[in-house]
């Protein structure tokens, strides 16, 4: 029979475990995977960065965080092009208060702005999935938020990376940056819908004007955090039957060198 002291010690240990578990619980584990490939010029990359910073500081974003079951999320960030940009990773941080959101936005704002060659969405998905697997937090949902302005043309094909992430229970959403005519005949938003995103409630949000970027990022973050489904016109892209060639980027790149 346990002594009174032993019982108290056991109960104390259980309480500590529960408290620790509670501290690690969040509504969403969200990875922001941001394209910095050279198909965008410096000004576009700068405005994209400002869009994320502004969204993270906005009251609507914090209200969405506070409106969850736990009232807190865990967020991380990295940049990618043909590879994951070294030194671009901002590791996991819990956002629960306005100060938390401001601190994360400040870290992002302080990063130098640069662009890199090629486009590997597959590398971005693998990096996001790896970060989620290593996360010290436990979320009701795990989300990789991919922004990009072109199809996969470097590294592994995108669909196996996407399918592996979906099998692990990860949701992938997309922000299709469509400021210029796309190399994808069906449109970059359709490519993202067919080849990149997936999981319950997944969506693609297209951006056609640079001045709309900040609002689009904020809306996307609010939808992802709240778990609310975006308007039908946004989700319709993802719900259509796949018709896009998911290797279109690789083929275009190969044709460029075969000339």
């Amino acid at each position: 029979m346990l002594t009174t002291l032993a019982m108290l010690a056991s109960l104390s240990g259980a309480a500590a475990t529960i408290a620790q578990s509670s501290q690690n619980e969040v509504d969403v584990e969200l990875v922001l995977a941001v394209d910095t490939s050279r198909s965008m010029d410096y000004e576009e990359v700068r405005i994209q960065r400002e869009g994320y910073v502004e969204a993270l500081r906005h009251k609507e974003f914090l209200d969405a965080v506070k409106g969850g079951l736990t009232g807190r999320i865990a967020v991380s960030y990295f940049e990618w092009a043909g590879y994951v940009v070294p030194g671009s990773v901002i590791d996991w941080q819990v956002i629960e208060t306005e100060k938390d959101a401001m601190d994360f936005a400040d870290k992002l704002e302080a990063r130098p702005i640069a662009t890199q060659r090629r486009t590997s969405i597959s590398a971005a998905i693998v990096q996001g999935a790896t970060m989620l697997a290593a996360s010290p937090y436990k979320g009701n949902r795990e989300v990789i938020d991919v922004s990009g302005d072109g199809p996969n043309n470097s590294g592994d094909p995108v669909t196996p990376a996407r399918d592996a992430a979906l099998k692990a229970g990860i949701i992938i959403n997309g922000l299709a940056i469509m400021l210029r005519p796309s190399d994808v005949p069906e449109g970059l938003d359709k490519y993202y819908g067919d080849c990149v995103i997936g999981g319950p409630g997944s969506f693609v949000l297209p951006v056609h004007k640079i001045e709309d970027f900040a609002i689009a990022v904020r809306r996307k973050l609010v939808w992802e955090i709240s778990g609310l489904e975006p308007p039908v016109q946004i989700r319709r892209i993802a719900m259509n039957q796949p018709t896009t060639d998911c290797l279109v980027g690789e083929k275009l790149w190969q044709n460029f060198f075969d000339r």
Side-chain angles (χ1 to χ4, degrees), residues 42-60:
Y42 178 89
E43 184 68 7
E44 290 168 350
V45 174
R46 181 186 65 79
I47 291 174
Q48 176 182 229
R49 168 75 59 75
E50 290 176 354
Y52 277 94
V53 170
E54 181 181 323
L56 289 163
R57 290 173 174 164
H58 201 279
K59 181 179 181 297
E60 189 177 359

Side-chain angles (χ1 to χ4, degrees), residues 1 3 12 28 57 81 88 93 103 123-124 133 174 178 192 199 204 214-215 221-222 239 241 247 250 254 259:
M1 182 179 294
T3 66
S12 176
V28 185
R57 290 173 174 164
S88 71
Q93 177 177 320
D103 287 347
M178 304 172 68
Y192 263 67
V204 182
I215 295 174
L221 292 180
V222 168
M239 293 187 291
Q241 284 296 108
L247 292 173
E250 287 86 346
Q254 186 61 48
R259 290 175 184 172

Side-chain angles (χ1 to χ4, degrees), residues 193-207:
D194 287 350
C195 307
V196 178
I197 72 163
S202 59
F203 63 88
V204 182
L205 181 59
V207 179

Side-chain angles (χ1 to χ4, degrees), residues 120-225:
S120 183
I121 302 173
S122 58
I125 292 174
V126 169
Q127 172 71 15
T130 302
M131 292 172 70
L132 285 165
S135 167
Y137 302 101
K138 180 175 176 56
N140 295 322
R141 287 176 292 119
E142 295 182 337
V143 180
I144 302 174
D145 176 334
V146 181
S147 70
D149 78 330
N152 194 82
N153 63 29
S154 180
D156 295 329
V158 66
T159 50
R162 176 203 57 190
D163 293 346
L166 300 187
K167 189 175 180 180
I170 297 169
I171 299 166
I172 304 174
N173 295 324
L175 183 72
I177 304 171
M178 304 172 68
L179 307 179
R180 297 187 178 92
S182 172
D183 291 332
V184 183
E186 296 86 351
L188 185 64
D189 50 355
K190 185 68 167 61
Y191 173 89
Y192 263 67
D194 287 350
C195 307
V196 178
I197 72 163
S202 59
F203 63 88
V204 182
L205 181 59
V207 179
H208 298 281
K209 298 178 181 179
I210 195 70
E211 59 267 26
D212 295 337
F213 197 91
I215 295 174
V217 171
R218 187 169 77 244
R219 285 177 179 167
K220 179 165 59 72
L221 292 180
V222 168
W223 290 334
E224 288 168 333
I225 292 163

Side-chain angles (χ1 to χ4, degrees), residues 12-58:
S12 176
T17 301
I18 292 170
Q20 180 65 33
S21 175
S22 177
Q23 288 177 357
N24 290 344
E25 287 183 0
V26 293
D27 290 311
V28 185
E29 295 169 82
L30 176 62
V31 182
L32 302 176
V34 176
D35 181 7
T36 56
S37 58
R38 287 180 183 165
S39 48
M40 293 188 288
D41 60 30
Y42 178 89
E43 184 68 7
E44 290 168 350
V45 174
R46 181 186 65 79
I47 291 174
Q48 176 182 229
R49 168 75 59 75
E50 290 176 354
Y52 277 94
V53 170
E54 181 181 323
L56 289 163
R57 290 173 174 164
H58 201 279

